[in-house]
Amino acid sequence: MNRKVDSKTELGNIINLARGDRSLRNYAKDSGVSYNTIHMIEKGELNPSPEIIKKLTSKQASPQNGVTYEAVMSAAGYKTENDEAMVSEEAIELAKHMLEEENEHSFLSPRVIQSREYRENEIRRIKTLARGMVFDALFEKGIEFGVNPREESLYRLRNNDMLLTIDHGDIKKWLLTFMCTTGGSYGGLFYHDTLGRYMTFEGGKDIKFSWVTNDPRAFARYKGYEHKLLFRGEMSLILVDTDAQKIVSETYLSNYFLDDYSREFYIV
């Protein structure tokens, strides 16, 4: 989000050093990170994710003045593998022993537990990427956004939901539901449930509802409802590619202004 970082001067200076004598646009091209994102980091207005830091310090980005991935991660307040290595072997062995004891008393086999944990971590990673893509798209469009806990209490939010306050034309609130998973396939009942839940909310010209999925088949199926849903409100479906880390497409299922599509707000 648009939050100031504690060590904004140090972090901004390090990224500026990594950029060196290149223009922002050239560094953006080399690193694959958007111009606005780099600009906001240098100004201290954004704490970059580890994924963005990895891009900014990659071989392709060619960071200058000896700037390293570890240095930027440290300035941004993240731990690196080197930091994790400072945990004593005794502590690591104790943790392993405790985990083994827990698994012994579990009804699930260690292999099943590990498989489930891996899948949960992967889903968490994929959803984090999807959210980051939405944030980056808003940054690139210069749209201010944030979170208002008071607004969140007005809706029956679930773990997959994210409610943003934004300032773009008529739209002041944006409720997104992230239906992204490993293999890119969610059950059809979940889509119908989400659609039904959205339909119970009071629509209006100031709020937009969006499903975000990484399942091309689901996107193609529901795209057939483009501008056909009997709901007077802004509702769209967004397709993301978490491997390529980009928003692929967005389609409107309904809008507040009925047949006037000129006021629709697209993220891509």
Side-chain angles (χ1 to χ4, degrees):
M1 307 284 193
N2 290 344
R3 55 191 175 97
K4 298 283 184 179
V5 296
D6 295 333
S7 55
K8 62 179 182 179
T9 302
E10 178 187 359
L11 178 59
N13 285 344
I14 288 178
I15 295 301
N16 186 265
L17 283 171
R19 176 160 64 90
D21 56 3
R22 289 172 290 183
S23 68
L24 279 169
R25 296 195 183 281
N26 284 340
Y27 188 29
K29 183 178 179 181
D30 291 343
S31 64
V33 177
S34 73
Y35 167 95
N36 283 338
T37 297
I38 298 173
H39 181 58
M40 292 179 71
I41 296 171
E42 289 193 359
K43 287 175 63 181
E45 295 180 350
L46 173 68
N47 201 34
S49 67
E51 289 78 14
I52 290 177
I53 293 174
K54 190 172 183 179
K55 287 185 176 183
L56 291 172
T57 55
S58 66
K59 185 176 180 180
Q60 179 183 337
S62 186
Q64 300 181 11
N65 299 301
V67 174
T68 64
Y69 169 76
E70 288 75 17
V72 181
M73 286 285 285
S74 177
Y78 296 111
K79 286 186 177 182
T80 64
E81 291 181 0
N82 290 337
D83 293 325
E84 295 294 334
M86 295 178 67
V87 179
S88 68
E89 291 184 9
E90 182 181 3
I92 293 173
E93 287 301 316
L94 177 60
K96 287 181 179 179
H97 178 68
M98 292 177 67
L99 181 60
E100 288 171 358
E101 284 193 343
E102 289 177 5
N103 289 341
E104 284 179 5
H105 293 90
S106 173
F107 291 104
L108 300 174
S109 70
R111 180 175 297 179
V112 171
I113 291 173
Q114 290 174 3
S115 176
R116 185 175 65 183
E117 288 178 348
Y118 173 78
R119 185 173 184 276
E120 289 175 349
N121 288 335
E122 273 297 286
I123 292 174
R124 192 177 300 114
R125 182 186 69 83
I126 289 170
K127 288 180 179 177
T128 299
L129 280 175
R131 292 188 179 208
M133 283 182 259
V134 171
F135 295 157
D136 258 345
L138 289 171
F139 286 143
E140 289 179 6
K141 288 179 176 290
I143 298 173
E144 295 184 0
F145 65 96
V147 175
N148 186 336
R150 277 195 239 171
E151 292 285 351
E152 289 183 343
S153 65
L154 300 176
Y155 299 88
R156 301 184 299 277
L157 298 188
R158 299 177 180 176
N159 291 336
N160 291 337
D161 294 333
M162 178 176 70
L163 180 64
L164 298 178
T165 57
I166 69 172
D167 186 11
H168 183 76
D170 295 310
I171 305 296
K172 304 302 177 186
K173 292 177 286 187
W174 192 9
L175 176 58
L176 300 105
T177 299
F178 291 85
M179 296 180 284
C180 302
T181 187
T182 54
S185 180
Y186 250 110
L189 287 177
F190 189 85
Y191 286 97
H192 289 308
D193 175 67
T194 301
L195 175 59
R197 194 162 57 98
Y198 280 179
M199 298 285 275
T200 64
F201 293 145
E202 183 178 349
K205 64 180 181 180
D206 65 336
I207 182 168
K208 177 180 177 180
F209 303 96
S210 294
W211 322 352
V212 182
T213 181
N214 61 337
D215 184 352
R217 291 169 298 176
F219 183 84
R221 181 166 61 248
Y222 285 95
K223 185 176 172 60
Y225 294 100
E226 186 173 14
H227 294 126
K228 293 179 181 178
L229 285 188
L230 299 178
F231 175 71
R232 190 173 184 189
E234 307 290 303
M235 190 186 300
S236 76
L237 180 63
I238 299 172
L239 176 64
V240 299
D241 183 338
T242 51
D243 291 328
Q245 297 187 24
K246 68 177 183 178
I247 299 176
V248 178
S249 184
E250 180 177 13
T251 186
Y252 256 75
L253 305 180
S254 68
N255 67 12
Y256 180 81
F257 298 100
L258 301 179
D259 294 330
D260 180 7
Y261 306 145
S262 63
R263 299 170 78 169
E264 293 176 343
F265 158 49
Y266 287 87
I267 195 63
V268 62

Short mmCIF file of all heavy atoms in Angstrom, two decimals, residues 22-73:
data_model
loop_
_atom_site.label_atom_id
_atom_site.label_comp_id
_atom_site.label_asym_id
_atom_site.label_seq_id
_atom_site.Cartn_x
_atom_site.Cartn_y
_atom_site.Cartn_z
N ARG A 22 21.57 5.71 -14.90
CA ARG A 22 20.47 5.43 -15.82
C ARG A 22 19.23 6.25 -15.46
O ARG A 22 19.03 6.61 -14.30
CB ARG A 22 20.10 3.95 -15.79
CG ARG A 22 21.13 3.04 -16.41
CD ARG A 22 20.78 1.58 -16.16
NE ARG A 22 20.96 1.21 -14.76
CZ ARG A 22 20.77 -0.01 -14.28
NH1 ARG A 22 20.38 -0.98 -15.09
NH2 ARG A 22 20.96 -0.27 -13.00
N SER A 23 18.41 6.51 -16.44
CA SER A 23 17.12 7.16 -16.17
C SER A 23 16.19 6.15 -15.52
O SER A 23 16.42 4.94 -15.58
CB SER A 23 16.49 7.68 -17.47
OG SER A 23 16.10 6.59 -18.29
N LEU A 24 15.14 6.65 -14.88
CA LEU A 24 14.16 5.75 -14.26
C LEU A 24 13.57 4.79 -15.30
O LEU A 24 13.38 3.60 -15.02
CB LEU A 24 13.04 6.58 -13.62
CG LEU A 24 13.31 7.16 -12.23
CD1 LEU A 24 12.23 8.17 -11.87
CD2 LEU A 24 13.38 6.06 -11.19
N ARG A 25 13.29 5.31 -16.47
CA ARG A 25 12.68 4.48 -17.51
C ARG A 25 13.62 3.38 -17.99
O ARG A 25 13.20 2.25 -18.27
CB ARG A 25 12.20 5.34 -18.68
CG ARG A 25 11.09 6.31 -18.28
CD ARG A 25 10.38 6.91 -19.46
NE ARG A 25 9.37 7.87 -19.02
CZ ARG A 25 8.17 7.56 -18.55
NH1 ARG A 25 7.84 6.29 -18.44
NH2 ARG A 25 7.32 8.50 -18.17
N ASN A 26 14.91 3.70 -18.10
CA ASN A 26 15.88 2.69 -18.53
C ASN A 26 16.05 1.60 -17.47
O ASN A 26 16.16 0.41 -17.79
CB ASN A 26 17.22 3.34 -18.85
CG ASN A 26 17.20 4.07 -20.18
OD1 ASN A 26 16.36 3.80 -21.04
ND2 ASN A 26 18.12 5.01 -20.36
N TYR A 27 16.08 2.02 -16.19
CA TYR A 27 16.20 1.05 -15.11
C TYR A 27 14.94 0.18 -15.05
O TYR A 27 15.01 -1.03 -14.81
CB TYR A 27 16.42 1.79 -13.79
CG TYR A 27 16.75 0.90 -12.61
CD1 TYR A 27 17.42 -0.31 -12.77
CD2 TYR A 27 16.39 1.28 -11.32
CE1 TYR A 27 17.74 -1.11 -11.68
CE2 TYR A 27 16.70 0.49 -10.22
CZ TYR A 27 17.37 -0.70 -10.41
OH TYR A 27 17.67 -1.50 -9.32
N ALA A 28 13.80 0.80 -15.28
CA ALA A 28 12.54 0.05 -15.31
C ALA A 28 12.56 -1.00 -16.42
O ALA A 28 12.13 -2.14 -16.24
CB ALA A 28 11.36 1.00 -15.49
N LYS A 29 13.08 -0.61 -17.56
CA LYS A 29 13.15 -1.53 -18.70
C LYS A 29 14.10 -2.68 -18.40
O LYS A 29 13.82 -3.85 -18.71
CB LYS A 29 13.62 -0.78 -19.95
CG LYS A 29 13.67 -1.62 -21.20
CD LYS A 29 14.11 -0.80 -22.40
CE LYS A 29 14.18 -1.65 -23.66
NZ LYS A 29 14.63 -0.85 -24.83
N ASP A 30 15.25 -2.37 -17.79
CA ASP A 30 16.25 -3.39 -17.49
C ASP A 30 15.76 -4.38 -16.43
O ASP A 30 16.03 -5.58 -16.50
CB ASP A 30 17.55 -2.74 -17.01
CG ASP A 30 18.27 -1.98 -18.12
OD1 ASP A 30 17.95 -2.22 -19.30
OD2 ASP A 30 19.12 -1.13 -17.79
N SER A 31 15.06 -3.86 -15.42
CA SER A 31 14.66 -4.68 -14.28
C SER A 31 13.31 -5.36 -14.45
O SER A 31 13.01 -6.35 -13.77
CB SER A 31 14.63 -3.84 -13.00
OG SER A 31 13.65 -2.82 -13.09
N GLY A 32 12.47 -4.81 -15.33
CA GLY A 32 11.12 -5.36 -15.47
C GLY A 32 10.17 -4.88 -14.39
O GLY A 32 9.09 -5.44 -14.21
N VAL A 33 10.58 -3.82 -13.66
CA VAL A 33 9.74 -3.21 -12.63
C VAL A 33 9.24 -1.87 -13.17
O VAL A 33 9.99 -1.15 -13.82
CB VAL A 33 10.52 -2.99 -11.32
CG1 VAL A 33 9.66 -2.28 -10.27
CG2 VAL A 33 11.02 -4.33 -10.78
N SER A 34 8.00 -1.54 -12.92
CA SER A 34 7.41 -0.34 -13.50
C SER A 34 8.12 0.94 -13.06
O SER A 34 8.65 1.02 -11.96
CB SER A 34 5.93 -0.24 -13.17
OG SER A 34 5.74 0.11 -11.82
N TYR A 35 8.08 1.93 -13.93
CA TYR A 35 8.66 3.24 -13.67
C TYR A 35 8.12 3.83 -12.37
O TYR A 35 8.88 4.32 -11.52
CB TYR A 35 8.34 4.16 -14.86
CG TYR A 35 8.60 5.64 -14.65
CD1 TYR A 35 9.79 6.22 -15.05
CD2 TYR A 35 7.64 6.45 -14.06
CE1 TYR A 35 10.02 7.58 -14.86
CE2 TYR A 35 7.86 7.80 -13.87
CZ TYR A 35 9.05 8.37 -14.27
OH TYR A 35 9.26 9.70 -14.08
N ASN A 36 6.79 3.81 -12.21
CA ASN A 36 6.16 4.41 -11.03
C ASN A 36 6.57 3.71 -9.74
O ASN A 36 6.76 4.35 -8.70
CB ASN A 36 4.64 4.39 -11.16
CG ASN A 36 4.13 5.47 -12.09
OD1 ASN A 36 4.81 6.46 -12.33
ND2 ASN A 36 2.93 5.28 -12.63
N THR A 37 6.71 2.39 -9.80
CA THR A 37 7.10 1.63 -8.61
C THR A 37 8.50 2.04 -8.16
O THR A 37 8.73 2.31 -6.97
CB THR A 37 7.06 0.12 -8.89
OG1 THR A 37 5.72 -0.26 -9.21
CG2 THR A 37 7.53 -0.67 -7.69
N ILE A 38 9.45 2.13 -9.09
CA ILE A 38 10.81 2.53 -8.74
C ILE A 38 10.82 3.96 -8.21
O ILE A 38 11.49 4.26 -7.21
CB ILE A 38 11.75 2.41 -9.97
CG1 ILE A 38 11.83 0.95 -10.44
CG2 ILE A 38 13.14 2.94 -9.64
CD1 ILE A 38 12.59 0.76 -11.72
N HIS A 39 10.06 4.82 -8.85
CA HIS A 39 10.00 6.23 -8.42
C HIS A 39 9.48 6.34 -6.99
O HIS A 39 10.03 7.09 -6.17
CB HIS A 39 9.09 7.00 -9.38
CG HIS A 39 8.98 8.46 -9.06
ND1 HIS A 39 10.07 9.30 -9.01
CD2 HIS A 39 7.89 9.23 -8.77
CE1 HIS A 39 9.67 10.53 -8.71
NE2 HIS A 39 8.35 10.51 -8.54
N MET A 40 8.45 5.57 -6.65
CA MET A 40 7.87 5.61 -5.31
C MET A 40 8.82 5.03 -4.27
O MET A 40 8.88 5.52 -3.13
CB MET A 40 6.54 4.88 -5.29
CG MET A 40 5.45 5.58 -6.09
SD MET A 40 3.89 4.69 -6.07
CE MET A 40 3.38 4.99 -4.37
N ILE A 41 9.59 4.00 -4.64
CA ILE A 41 10.57 3.44 -3.71
C ILE A 41 11.66 4.48 -3.41
O ILE A 41 12.03 4.69 -2.25
CB ILE A 41 11.21 2.16 -4.28
CG1 ILE A 41 10.15 1.06 -4.45
CG2 ILE A 41 12.31 1.65 -3.36
CD1 ILE A 41 10.64 -0.17 -5.20
N GLU A 42 12.14 5.12 -4.44
CA GLU A 42 13.20 6.12 -4.25
C GLU A 42 12.70 7.29 -3.41
O GLU A 42 13.48 7.90 -2.67
CB GLU A 42 13.72 6.61 -5.61
CG GLU A 42 14.53 5.57 -6.36
CD GLU A 42 15.28 6.16 -7.54
OE1 GLU A 42 15.16 7.38 -7.78
OE2 GLU A 42 16.02 5.40 -8.21
N LYS A 43 11.43 7.62 -3.51
CA LYS A 43 10.86 8.72 -2.73
C LYS A 43 10.49 8.30 -1.31
O LYS A 43 10.12 9.14 -0.48
CB LYS A 43 9.60 9.27 -3.43
CG LYS A 43 9.90 10.07 -4.69
CD LYS A 43 8.61 10.48 -5.38
CE LYS A 43 7.78 11.40 -4.51
NZ LYS A 43 6.51 11.79 -5.17
N GLY A 44 10.58 7.00 -1.02
CA GLY A 44 10.23 6.51 0.31
C GLY A 44 8.76 6.32 0.52
O GLY A 44 8.29 6.25 1.65
N GLU A 45 7.99 6.20 -0.56
CA GLU A 45 6.54 6.06 -0.46
C GLU A 45 6.07 4.62 -0.59
O GLU A 45 4.89 4.34 -0.47
CB GLU A 45 5.85 6.92 -1.53
CG GLU A 45 6.07 8.40 -1.33
CD GLU A 45 5.39 9.24 -2.40
OE1 GLU A 45 4.90 8.66 -3.40
OE2 GLU A 45 5.34 10.47 -2.23
N LEU A 46 7.00 3.71 -0.85
CA LEU A 46 6.62 2.31 -1.04
C LEU A 46 7.72 1.40 -0.53
O LEU A 46 8.90 1.60 -0.84
CB LEU A 46 6.36 2.03 -2.53
CG LEU A 46 6.12 0.57 -2.91
CD1 LEU A 46 4.79 0.09 -2.34
CD2 LEU A 46 6.15 0.39 -4.41
N ASN A 47 7.35 0.42 0.28
CA ASN A 47 8.29 -0.62 0.70
C ASN A 47 8.11 -1.79 -0.26
O ASN A 47 7.05 -2.43 -0.27
CB ASN A 47 8.00 -1.05 2.14
CG ASN A 47 9.19 -1.72 2.78
OD1 ASN A 47 10.33 -1.36 2.50
ND2 ASN A 47 8.95 -2.66 3.65
N PRO A 48 9.09 -2.08 -1.11
CA PRO A 48 8.90 -3.10 -2.14
C PRO A 48 8.83 -4.51 -1.57
O PRO A 48 9.39 -4.79 -0.51
CB PRO A 48 10.15 -2.92 -3.02
CG PRO A 48 11.19 -2.40 -2.07
CD PRO A 48 10.44 -1.48 -1.14
N SER A 49 8.15 -5.38 -2.28
CA SER A 49 8.08 -6.78 -1.89
C SER A 49 9.41 -7.45 -2.23
O SER A 49 10.19 -6.94 -3.05
CB SER A 49 6.95 -7.48 -2.66
OG SER A 49 7.27 -7.53 -4.04
N PRO A 50 9.70 -8.61 -1.62
CA PRO A 50 10.93 -9.34 -1.95
C PRO A 50 11.01 -9.67 -3.44
O PRO A 50 12.11 -9.70 -4.01
CB PRO A 50 10.82 -10.61 -1.10
CG PRO A 50 10.01 -10.19 0.08
CD PRO A 50 9.00 -9.23 -0.47
N GLU A 51 9.85 -9.93 -4.08
CA GLU A 51 9.85 -10.24 -5.51
C GLU A 51 10.35 -9.06 -6.34
O GLU A 51 11.12 -9.21 -7.29
CB GLU A 51 8.45 -10.64 -5.97
CG GLU A 51 7.97 -11.99 -5.47
CD GLU A 51 7.51 -11.96 -4.03
OE1 GLU A 51 7.31 -10.84 -3.50
OE2 GLU A 51 7.34 -13.04 -3.43
N ILE A 52 9.90 -7.85 -5.96
CA ILE A 52 10.34 -6.65 -6.68
C ILE A 52 11.82 -6.40 -6.43
O ILE A 52 12.57 -6.05 -7.35
CB ILE A 52 9.49 -5.44 -6.24
CG1 ILE A 52 8.07 -5.57 -6.78
CG2 ILE A 52 10.12 -4.13 -6.75
CD1 ILE A 52 7.14 -4.46 -6.37
N ILE A 53 12.26 -6.59 -5.18
CA ILE A 53 13.68 -6.40 -4.85
C ILE A 53 14.54 -7.37 -5.66
O ILE A 53 15.62 -7.00 -6.15
CB ILE A 53 13.91 -6.60 -3.34
CG1 ILE A 53 13.23 -5.48 -2.56
CG2 ILE A 53 15.41 -6.64 -3.02
CD1 ILE A 53 13.28 -5.65 -1.05
N LYS A 54 14.06 -8.60 -5.81
CA LYS A 54 14.81 -9.59 -6.59
C LYS A 54 14.98 -9.13 -8.03
O LYS A 54 16.05 -9.29 -8.64
CB LYS A 54 14.08 -10.93 -6.54
CG LYS A 54 14.88 -12.09 -7.10
CD LYS A 54 14.17 -13.41 -6.83
CE LYS A 54 15.01 -14.58 -7.33
NZ LYS A 54 14.34 -15.89 -7.05
N LYS A 55 13.92 -8.53 -8.59
CA LYS A 55 14.00 -8.02 -9.96
C LYS A 55 14.97 -6.84 -10.05
O LYS A 55 15.75 -6.73 -11.00
CB LYS A 55 12.61 -7.59 -10.44
CG LYS A 55 11.67 -8.72 -10.75
CD LYS A 55 10.37 -8.18 -11.34
CE LYS A 55 9.43 -9.28 -11.75
NZ LYS A 55 8.20 -8.74 -12.37
N LEU A 56 14.90 -5.93 -9.08
CA LEU A 56 15.73 -4.72 -9.11
C LEU A 56 17.22 -5.03 -8.95
O LEU A 56 18.06 -4.23 -9.35
CB LEU A 56 15.29 -3.75 -7.99
CG LEU A 56 13.92 -3.10 -8.17
CD1 LEU A 56 13.54 -2.34 -6.91
CD2 LEU A 56 13.91 -2.17 -9.38
N THR A 57 17.52 -6.19 -8.36
CA THR A 57 18.93 -6.54 -8.12
C THR A 57 19.36 -7.75 -8.94
O THR A 57 20.41 -8.33 -8.68
CB THR A 57 19.16 -6.82 -6.63
OG1 THR A 57 18.24 -7.84 -6.19
CG2 THR A 57 18.93 -5.56 -5.79
N SER A 58 18.57 -8.14 -9.92
CA SER A 58 18.91 -9.30 -10.74
C SER A 58 20.05 -8.97 -11.70
O SER A 58 20.41 -7.80 -11.91
CB SER A 58 17.69 -9.74 -11.56
OG SER A 58 17.34 -8.73 -12.51
N LYS A 59 20.58 -10.02 -12.30
CA LYS A 59 21.66 -9.84 -13.27
C LYS A 59 21.19 -9.01 -14.45
O LYS A 59 21.92 -8.16 -14.98
CB LYS A 59 22.16 -11.20 -13.74
CG LYS A 59 23.36 -11.14 -14.67
CD LYS A 59 23.85 -12.54 -15.01
CE LYS A 59 25.06 -12.49 -15.93
NZ LYS A 59 25.55 -13.85 -16.28
N GLN A 60 19.94 -9.24 -14.86
CA GLN A 60 19.36 -8.49 -15.97
C GLN A 60 19.23 -7.00 -15.65
O GLN A 60 19.43 -6.14 -16.50
CB GLN A 60 17.98 -9.06 -16.31
CG GLN A 60 17.27 -8.34 -17.45
CD GLN A 60 15.87 -8.89 -17.70
OE1 GLN A 60 15.59 -10.03 -17.36
NE2 GLN A 60 15.01 -8.09 -18.29
N ALA A 61 18.91 -6.70 -14.36
CA ALA A 61 18.75 -5.30 -13.94
C ALA A 61 20.09 -4.59 -13.84
O ALA A 61 20.16 -3.36 -13.85
CB ALA A 61 18.02 -5.23 -12.61
N SER A 62 21.17 -5.38 -13.68
CA SER A 62 22.53 -4.85 -13.61
C SER A 62 22.66 -3.71 -12.59
O SER A 62 22.98 -2.57 -12.94
CB SER A 62 22.97 -4.34 -14.99
OG SER A 62 24.33 -3.95 -14.98
N PRO A 63 22.40 -3.99 -11.29
CA PRO A 63 22.51 -2.94 -10.27
C PRO A 63 23.94 -2.38 -10.21
O PRO A 63 24.90 -3.14 -10.28
CB PRO A 63 22.14 -3.66 -8.98
CG PRO A 63 22.38 -5.11 -9.26
CD PRO A 63 22.07 -5.30 -10.71
N GLN A 64 24.05 -1.08 -10.09
CA GLN A 64 25.35 -0.43 -10.11
C GLN A 64 25.83 -0.10 -8.69
O GLN A 64 25.10 -0.27 -7.72
CB GLN A 64 25.27 0.83 -10.97
CG GLN A 64 24.89 0.54 -12.41
CD GLN A 64 24.83 1.77 -13.29
OE1 GLN A 64 25.27 2.84 -12.91
NE2 GLN A 64 24.27 1.62 -14.49
N ASN A 65 27.08 0.34 -8.61
CA ASN A 65 27.69 0.79 -7.35
C ASN A 65 27.74 -0.29 -6.28
O ASN A 65 27.68 0.00 -5.08
CB ASN A 65 26.96 2.03 -6.81
CG ASN A 65 27.03 3.20 -7.77
OD1 ASN A 65 28.12 3.66 -8.11
ND2 ASN A 65 25.88 3.68 -8.22
N GLY A 66 27.82 -1.55 -6.70
CA GLY A 66 27.98 -2.65 -5.76
C GLY A 66 26.75 -2.99 -4.94
O GLY A 66 26.85 -3.72 -3.94
N VAL A 67 25.59 -2.52 -5.34
CA VAL A 67 24.36 -2.80 -4.59
C VAL A 67 23.98 -4.27 -4.77
O VAL A 67 23.96 -4.78 -5.90
CB VAL A 67 23.21 -1.88 -5.06
CG1 VAL A 67 21.90 -2.29 -4.39
CG2 VAL A 67 23.54 -0.43 -4.73
N THR A 68 23.65 -4.94 -3.68
CA THR A 68 23.30 -6.36 -3.72
C THR A 68 21.86 -6.60 -3.24
O THR A 68 21.25 -5.74 -2.61
CB THR A 68 24.24 -7.19 -2.82
OG1 THR A 68 24.05 -6.77 -1.45
CG2 THR A 68 25.69 -6.99 -3.22
N TYR A 69 21.36 -7.77 -3.56
CA TYR A 69 20.03 -8.19 -3.12
C TYR A 69 19.94 -8.13 -1.59
O TYR A 69 18.95 -7.64 -1.02
CB TYR A 69 19.77 -9.60 -3.63
CG TYR A 69 18.55 -10.29 -3.05
CD1 TYR A 69 17.26 -9.95 -3.47
CD2 TYR A 69 18.71 -11.29 -2.09
CE1 TYR A 69 16.15 -10.60 -2.95
CE2 TYR A 69 17.59 -11.95 -1.57
CZ TYR A 69 16.32 -11.60 -1.99
OH TYR A 69 15.22 -12.23 -1.47
N GLU A 70 20.97 -8.64 -0.92
CA GLU A 70 20.96 -8.69 0.55
C GLU A 70 20.90 -7.30 1.15
O GLU A 70 20.19 -7.07 2.15
CB GLU A 70 22.21 -9.42 1.06
CG GLU A 70 22.22 -10.92 0.85
CD GLU A 70 22.50 -11.33 -0.59
OE1 GLU A 70 23.00 -10.48 -1.35
OE2 GLU A 70 22.24 -12.49 -0.94
N ALA A 71 21.62 -6.34 0.54
CA ALA A 71 21.64 -4.97 1.07
C ALA A 71 20.27 -4.32 0.97
O ALA A 71 19.80 -3.66 1.90
CB ALA A 71 22.68 -4.14 0.31
N VAL A 72 19.60 -4.52 -0.16
CA VAL A 72 18.27 -3.92 -0.34
C VAL A 72 17.25 -4.60 0.56
O VAL A 72 16.40 -3.94 1.16
CB VAL A 72 17.83 -4.00 -1.82
CG1 VAL A 72 16.46 -3.36 -2.00
CG2 VAL A 72 18.84 -3.31 -2.73
N MET A 73 17.33 -5.93 0.67
CA MET A 73 16.41 -6.66 1.55
C MET A 73 16.55 -6.18 3.00
O MET A 73 15.56 -5.98 3.71
CB MET A 73 16.69 -8.16 1.47
CG MET A 73 16.21 -8.81 0.19
SD MET A 73 14.40 -9.02 0.14
CE MET A 73 14.21 -10.42 1.25
#
